[in-house]
Every structure is written in structure tokens, then in C-alpha cells.
Amino acid sequence: MFSDDEGPARGPRALPARRALVDDVYDAVLGLLMDRVIEPGARVNIDAVARDLDVSPTPVREALTRLEAEGLVAKRALKGYVAAPLLDATGLRDLYDMRELLEPEAARRASGRLGDDAESELADSVEQMRAASGPDEDERFRNYRRFIDEDLHFHHLIAENADSPLLAEAIVRLRSHMHLYRLNFRHDFEDDTVREHEQILDALRRRDPDSAASAMRAHIANSYARLGPALARRADSDHTA
């Protein structure tokens, strides 16, 4: 991890040619958080990260501002940025309780309001997720990042088409997916997620509100079932370490 006194644990990490762009630095810092090179709860040493990525501190700070908005880091008085803790079992259940209250209703409402453009965008998102779940090891993190982005986009697009700004805002503000992927990073669940998104999309295309809500509820329940054992394994590992 990056502590106050230690240098980078892995490095330097290669960035694309346009490495000064905040998007590139954002992806790299996100990788450090997802890989737990920067441990949950640890202070983010901006200078050490900048050295590791061979950039100035400025784009690192800008990337951390974006990550703060997503709830993956927090700014603390006198400490600077710290990595958000991982969800525990209670936090995970609470998050899924909120999703089960909000997202099936969003799917129900969107089923009668979805236009052709939004339907095409959802279908494209499913295809992008399928493409990003391929076995290319050289592009593993970049593909995983694409998968996360498309998963977020799929759920948020449904919320935005529910014709309820308050409901959409509540779903987007949960920022749930980033925390879930961080908890379960690189477990084998991509194919199941894509298949469940297809089932939601099929119900939306048929303009069937009950089926859309049911498919979304099943997807959320299945996602929790996939994450629960991973969380239990992590807890057992932490206790025995």
C-alpha cells in the first residue's frame, strides 16, 4: 500500500501515451484502489502515486476529486485523501435493500416510457459489456473498467427513463456499483451479469412493466447472492491473517 513513509508497492505503472490526461490518471488510480495496492482506509500519498505513475501531482489530485464524488476516497481534515473502507456485511445488505426498493420500480416505470433511442442505447450497452468480458489478459483492467462503465450506464439509463427525477437521482447517488466491483473485483460473474441485463432489456422491449420489475429484482437478488460468499471469504481471510 501507499503509506505516508513508503514508496509505491508496485511500479512504475505504464500509462497510455497521453498520460497527462486526467482520464488516464483516473483509470490508473482506480486500478490501485481496486487492486488494493492502496488499502481500504489508508491515506493516499499523492506524491507517491504521482511518482509511481510518472506524472505531476496535479492530475492525481484531479483524479482523486472524481473518485471522491464516486465515494471511493474521502477527504479528511489534516489527512488529505483516504481510501474508502470496503463494505461490511451490514453495509452490503443495506445497499441491496435500497436497490431492491428503487430499481425494480424504475424498470417498471421505464418500460412504458422507453423511446427507440434509449432502447438502442441499452442494447448497445449489453453488447459492450459482452465484448469487455473477453479473456484478453493484456487489456484486463481496461476491459474491466469498460465493463463497470457499461454496467453503471445500463442501470442509470433505465433510471433516467423512469420519468421520475427524484427516483433517478436516488439511484444515481447510491454510486453502488463502484463499491460492489471493488468488493468483488475480478471474480467470475460477468457472463451472469450480461445475461441478466439481456432479460431486463427483453422485458423493456416488450413494454411489460411487471416483467421488467421482476427481471430487475431477480438481477439484484442474484448479484447479492454472488457477492455474499465473496464477502464471507474475505472476512474469514482477514480474521485468520
Side-chain angles (χ1 to χ4, degrees):
M1 64 180 244
F2 291 107
S3 68
D4 292 349
D5 301 319
E6 295 176 351
R10 308 181 189 177
R13 293 194 168 206
L15 288 177
R18 290 163 35 178
R19 64 188 180 187
L21 293 177
V22 174
D23 285 349
D24 295 335
V25 176
Y26 170 88
D27 283 344
V29 178
L30 178 62
L32 296 172
L33 292 166
M34 298 283 270
D35 281 336
R36 294 177 66 175
V37 175
I38 302 175
E39 290 283 355
R43 178 179 178 270
V44 181
N45 187 320
I46 293 175
D47 290 334
V49 173
R51 287 195 303 271
D52 189 42
L53 302 180
D54 194 22
V55 297
S56 74
T58 298
V60 176
R61 290 192 185 94
E62 294 180 35
L64 288 170
T65 298
R66 286 174 58 181
L67 290 162
E68 182 183 19
E70 293 174 345
L72 293 178
V73 299
K75 198 169 187 179
R76 304 292 188 217
L78 304 179
K79 291 188 67 175
Y81 288 101
V82 296
L86 293 179
L87 290 171
D88 59 14
T90 300
L92 183 68
R93 182 65 267 177
D94 190 40
L95 178 59
Y96 271 92
D97 285 346
M98 289 299 297
R99 292 189 68 194
E100 288 175 2
L101 285 171
L102 298 173
E103 295 200 52
E105 180 60 23
R108 180 189 303 280
R109 296 187 183 196
S111 67
R113 299 170 173 86
L114 201 66
D116 291 341
D117 289 345
E119 183 180 314
S120 295
E121 199 170 346
L122 286 170
D124 181 66
S125 180
V126 171
E127 291 304 315
Q128 292 295 327
M129 290 180 72
R130 182 180 291 107
S133 62
D136 188 348
E137 288 294 323
D138 292 336
E139 293 291 328
R140 190 177 187 188
F141 178 75
R142 191 164 294 276
N143 282 341
Y144 199 84
R145 175 64 184 147
R146 285 172 54 209
F147 193 92
I148 295 171
D149 285 343
E150 290 301 333
D151 195 0
L152 282 166
H153 182 57
F154 184 89
H155 284 267
H156 290 178
L157 187 59
I158 291 172
E160 289 162 7
N161 280 271
D163 198 26
S164 173
L166 288 177
L167 178 59
E169 182 182 5
I171 290 171
V172 171
R173 283 177 65 85
L174 280 176
R175 307 279 184 183
S176 60
H177 288 63
M178 297 300 290
H179 293 284
L180 300 180
Y181 281 111
R182 188 165 175 240
L183 178 66
N184 202 38
F185 187 40
R186 288 177 184 163
H187 289 325
D188 297 328
F189 64 93
E190 290 95 335
D191 290 342
D192 291 336
T193 300
V194 172
R195 183 165 54 252
E196 289 159 14
H197 279 204
E198 289 174 331
Q199 292 166 351
I200 296 167
L201 178 58
D202 178 65
L204 292 170
R205 280 173 165 161
R206 291 186 282 108
R207 305 298 189 264
D208 184 337
D210 289 340
S211 292
S214 178
M216 180 64 79
R217 189 175 294 106
H219 171 49
I220 293 170
N222 290 337
S223 177
Y224 182 79
R226 287 189 287 268
L227 279 171
L231 181 59
R233 286 194 299 269
R234 197 197 79 218
D236 289 344
S237 175
D238 289 346
H239 287 315
T240 57

